[in-house]
Amino acid sequence: VLETLGNESAVRLLNEADAAIRDTRLKLNLMKDNGRDVLRLQRMLKSATDFYNHARTAEQHGDYRTALDHGSHAAGLLNSLQQLMAR
């Protein structure tokens, strides 16, 4: 992916993950305020956020392969989380 699309592809993925994390956090807080049990969902978000943070650190050190790898894991968890939240 990096060879074809360049390092900017990792940066775009991380920017999208950042927005999804913020949006998901807000939605989980609303769900919690409405009495839903969101503990498991919050744990998934924490894992996604951890992957994201590792990815950003790698990006800052110029390690775009690791940034893309960890960012992809974060994005996958966020996608799964959003599917679970829709149920």
Side-chain angles (χ1 to χ4, degrees), residues 20-35:
I21 287 169
R22 286 184 278 117
D23 182 58
T24 302
R25 186 174 289 124
L26 288 172
K27 288 177 181 175
L28 282 177
N29 286 336
L30 287 172
M31 291 169 67
K32 184 178 179 182
D33 290 346
N34 287 326

Side-chain angles (χ1 to χ4, degrees), residues 14 19 30 39 43 57 61-62 66 75-76 78 80 82-83 87:
L14 294 179
L30 287 172
L39 183 60
R43 287 181 183 157
T57 299
H61 289 97
T66 300
L78 289 164
S80 296
Q82 290 169 350
Q83 292 297 317
R87 292 182 179 178

